[in-house]
């Protein structure tokens, strides 16, 4: 226990700090439920014995008020605009670290020292190649297949190639699987892009950094040397950092739920990719570009701003506000600065999409309607603009999200597998169908 605060330390067992009494007004019966307290965030009512004590379940669509696990990886305070990874503010990590340092932090709990960083970077670098037979999987997809469909397939297929890292109860194999996934995801993502445009796959290079290697494999060709611009590589690295983990969101919860059945880690990450694919989750920055397409030109912006303010109009401005952050998305400020750096180095000033986006940003930061409702541009708004400027098609946006989020998923999966309280997921329901009824033979049904 942390005696200075009277509550559990980050690495300690969470013990009750009190109880909450729940009374059934229909019977007068009361039960006491343990009250738990973590190192940050609201206190939690332990309802594991609620059904046994009362015969009742809770009803929480979307699980927005339900803590499904205990975790020491990421903490978010949406009201205050706070995002911490292992206690470190995302702003500090994005400014002072590279992506592989953040990966080490998420996987191991601490930032690496210089020797640990070199060892970890070498481990990832020398695992970036994929089995040559895996490359043949790509030819089984149509050329116009969405890259996320390809990624779901090839990621799940990794379990067919790496039998030496599918024993989920072996800590060493769990870590090998984690390293392989972090290392190979850029290679497989770049291959998905190359396959869609009909260009030859580019093999990874051990002399390049993580972000540089991805850009090289994506945009390089065998015809001529490809020089990776350091500003673009750093922008790519920041995008990876800002998307590395985001607590118990839809895709992370999916990974944990799949993992709770003791599925292999490659299958679990494939399930996370499938959940991320949805436009309400990982497809948000793709939706931003589609919205800019719909607006079409700067002179039409007032029309769409008016529609956005009309609650009876189905049109919504994508990339503004956030379900979690009721204040400013802490990642957005970093991404905004990166956005302008990328546009400057690429010399982009009059691209139609970007002109619309910049005008929308100005309005959202000044218009009383948006300011009052705290509908600020979020990380998806800026990342969509950056990726568009760098030459990525919108169909690749969610793939890049999956690439970056893989380390968060595998860290959460690894933490879950090491949790002695872990059980197979089994949500309950509020059944509203027909009650039990007598069966009617076919010849007697009207």
């Amino acid at each position: 226990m942390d005696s200075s605060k009277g509550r559990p330390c980050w690495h300690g067992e969470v013990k009750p700090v009190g109880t909450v009494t729940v009374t059934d007004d229909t019977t007068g019966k009361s039960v006491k439920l343990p009250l738990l307290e973590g190192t940050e965030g609201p206190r939690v009512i332990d309802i594991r014995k609620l059904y046994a004590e009362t015969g009742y379940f809770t009803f929480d669509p979307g699980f927005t008020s339900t803590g499904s696990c205990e975790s020491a990886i990421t903490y978010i305070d949406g009201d205050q605009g706070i995002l911490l990874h292992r206690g470190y503010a995302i702003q500090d990590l994005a400014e002072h670290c590279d992506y592989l340092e953040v990966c080490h932090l998420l996987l191991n709990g601490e930032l690496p020292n210089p020797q640990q960083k070199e060892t970890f970077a070498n481990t990832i670098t020398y695992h970036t190649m994929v089995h040559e037979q895996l490359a043949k999987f790509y030819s089984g997809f149509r050329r116009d297949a969405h890259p996320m469909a390809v990624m779901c397939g090839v990621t799940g297929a990794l379990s067919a190639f790496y039998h030496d890292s599918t024993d989920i109860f072996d800590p060493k194999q769990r870590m090998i699987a984690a390293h392989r996934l972090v290392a190979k995801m850029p290679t497989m993502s770049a291959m998905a892009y190359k396959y869609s445009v009909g260009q030859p796959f580019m093999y990874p290079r051990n002399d390049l950094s993580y972000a540089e290697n991805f850009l090289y494999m994506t945009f390089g060709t065998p015809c001529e040397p490809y020089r990776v611009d350091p500003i673009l590589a750093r922008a790519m690295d920041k995008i990876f950092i800002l998307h590395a983990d985001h607590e118990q969101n839809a895709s992370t919860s999916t990974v944990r739920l799949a993992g709770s059945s003791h599925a292999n880690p490659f299958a679990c990450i494939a399930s996370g990719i499938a959940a991320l694919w949805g436009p309400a989750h990982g497809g948000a920055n793709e939706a931003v570009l589609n919205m800019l397409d719909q607006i079409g030109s700067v002179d039409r912006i007032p029309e769409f701003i008016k529609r956005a303010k009309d609650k009876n109009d189905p049109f919504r401005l994508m990339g503004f506000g956030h379900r979690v952050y009721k204040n400013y998305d802490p990642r957005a400020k970093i991404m905004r600065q990166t956005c302008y750096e990328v546009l400057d180095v690429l010399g982009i000033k009059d691209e139609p999409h970007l002109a619309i986006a910049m005008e929308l940003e100005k309005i959202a930061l000044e218009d009383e309607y948006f300011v009052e409702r705290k509908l600020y541009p979020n990380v998806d708004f800026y990342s969509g603009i950056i990726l568009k400027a760098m030459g990525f098609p919108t169909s690749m946006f969610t793939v890049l999200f999956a690439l970056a989020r893989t380390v968060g998923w595998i860290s959460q999966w690894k933490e879950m597998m090491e949790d002695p309280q872990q059980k197979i997921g089994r949500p309950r329901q509020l059944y509203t169908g027909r009650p039990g009824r007598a069966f009617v033979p076919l010849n007697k049904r009207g």
Side-chain angles (χ1 to χ4, degrees):
M1 295 286 290
D2 182 346
S3 58
S4 66
K5 295 184 179 180
R7 61 185 185 184
C9 299
W10 67 267
H11 59 281
E13 179 185 353
V14 179
K15 295 180 179 179
V17 294
T19 60
V20 171
T21 301
V22 177
T23 302
D24 182 351
D25 291 333
T26 63
T27 65
K29 179 182 177 181
S30 295
V31 296
K32 291 184 181 294
L33 300 172
L35 183 64
L36 310 178
E37 185 174 39
T39 52
E40 298 283 0
R43 290 182 170 186
V44 176
I45 301 171
D46 184 347
I47 63 168
R48 282 175 288 185
K49 295 183 179 180
L50 180 68
Y51 177 63
E53 296 282 347
T54 67
Y56 299 149
F57 300 142
T58 59
F59 183 58
D60 183 20
F63 308 111
T64 55
S65 297
T66 299
S68 62
C69 64
E70 178 186 335
S71 181
I73 298 174
T74 297
Y75 171 72
I76 296 172
D77 184 331
D79 293 331
Q80 298 299 318
I82 294 172
L83 170 59
L84 306 178
H85 291 325
R86 303 285 192 181
Y88 293 103
I90 188 64
Q91 297 92 326
D92 292 334
L93 295 175
E95 182 179 354
H96 301 294
C97 296
D98 61 31
Y99 178 67
L100 287 186
E101 287 181 82
V102 176
C103 288
H104 186 282
L105 173 68
L106 293 174
L107 283 168
N108 300 295
E110 297 293 343
L111 287 169
N113 61 35
Q115 183 178 355
Q116 290 171 331
K117 180 180 178 180
E118 182 180 358
T119 300
F120 184 74
N122 284 341
T123 298
I124 299 302
T125 298
Y126 288 94
H127 277 86
T128 50
M129 287 187 66
V130 298
H131 197 288
E132 193 65 18
Q133 279 187 290
L134 188 70
K136 297 179 181 178
F137 272 52
Y138 288 80
S139 61
F141 293 93
R142 284 174 46 136
R143 286 283 181 187
D144 59 354
H146 196 289
M148 284 294 278
V150 176
M151 293 303 295
C152 284
V154 295
T155 303
L158 289 175
S159 61
F161 291 89
Y162 300 110
H163 301 291
D164 61 340
S165 56
T166 54
D167 182 352
I168 59 176
F169 300 108
D170 182 343
K172 184 177 179 180
Q173 290 198 32
R174 288 199 297 266
M175 189 56 81
I176 291 172
H179 291 161
R180 280 178 170 158
L181 280 159
V182 172
K184 297 180 191 306
M185 196 59 68
T187 308
M188 296 190 302
S189 301
M191 290 168 69
Y193 170 74
K194 286 297 193 185
Y195 183 73
S196 70
V197 296
Q199 293 182 0
F201 297 150
M202 298 293 286
Y203 288 92
R205 281 172 42 186
N206 293 343
D207 63 319
L208 297 177
S209 71
Y210 193 86
E212 288 173 336
N213 215 356
F214 173 65
L215 291 173
Y216 164 75
M217 290 187 291
T218 302
F219 296 118
T221 67
C223 309
E224 57 187 1
Y226 177 78
R227 177 185 172 274
V228 182
D229 187 292
I231 294 179
L232 299 186
R234 181 57 183 155
M236 194 81 262
D237 198 71
K238 282 191 177 182
I239 288 176
F240 291 161
I241 290 173
L242 297 179
H243 290 86
D245 193 55
H246 211 236
E247 212 200 72
Q248 307 308 316
N249 52 76
S251 58
T252 299
S253 298
T254 300
V255 170
R256 280 183 173 265
L257 195 59
S260 75
S261 71
H262 295 166
N264 71 73
F266 305 108
C268 294
I269 300 307
S271 74
I273 293 172
L276 187 72
W277 194 352
H281 190 6
N285 51 11
E286 185 173 348
V288 169
L289 268 292
N290 292 335
M291 174 195 70
L292 298 180
D293 274 332
Q294 185 180 359
I295 295 174
S297 62
V298 173
D299 58 6
R300 295 190 66 196
I301 289 178
E303 168 194 344
F304 284 90
I305 292 292
K306 182 179 179 181
R307 290 181 60 185
K309 295 178 180 180
D310 183 355
K311 64 181 181 180
N312 297 316
D313 193 307
F315 175 79
R316 294 291 179 269
L317 284 178
M318 306 303 296
F320 292 84
H322 195 281
R323 181 181 180 182
V324 172
Y325 298 108
K326 306 309 177 188
N327 207 314
Y328 197 73
D329 182 342
R331 302 167 299 170
K333 184 177 181 180
I334 305 163
M335 194 54 45
R336 182 177 188 268
Q337 179 183 346
T338 301
C339 179
Y340 281 96
E341 290 172 358
V342 168
L343 298 184
D344 183 60
V345 75
L346 293 175
I348 296 175
K349 293 182 174 62
D350 54 1
E351 205 278 336
H353 276 125
L354 302 178
I356 298 169
M358 294 301 99
E359 182 63 23
L360 280 176
E361 178 201 39
K362 179 182 177 183
I363 292 171
L365 293 175
E366 297 176 355
D367 189 294
E368 188 175 319
Y369 177 89
F370 294 98
V371 173
E372 279 185 1
R373 291 163 176 77
K374 298 181 179 179
L375 295 176
Y376 303 116
N378 61 33
V379 70
D380 298 309
F381 180 78
Y382 294 113
S383 64
I385 297 170
I386 293 172
L387 297 177
K388 168 76 174 177
M390 291 174 71
F392 288 98
T394 54
S395 61
M396 278 293 293
F397 288 4
T398 319
V399 173
L400 296 177
F401 197 156
L403 190 172
R405 184 56 55 85
T406 294
V407 71
W409 288 332
I410 201 65
S411 299
Q412 297 270 354
W413 171 84
K414 179 174 170 288
E415 181 183 64
M416 180 199 66
M417 292 306 303
E418 295 167 357
D419 183 357
Q421 299 184 88
Q422 183 265 325
K423 295 181 179 180
I424 186 169
R426 182 61 173 87
R428 299 292 189 164
Q429 66 176 12
L430 175 65
Y431 177 69
T432 57
R434 293 287 294 267
R437 48 180 169 166
F439 178 78
V440 180
L442 179 61
N443 62 358
K444 294 186 178 180
R445 294 175 211 158

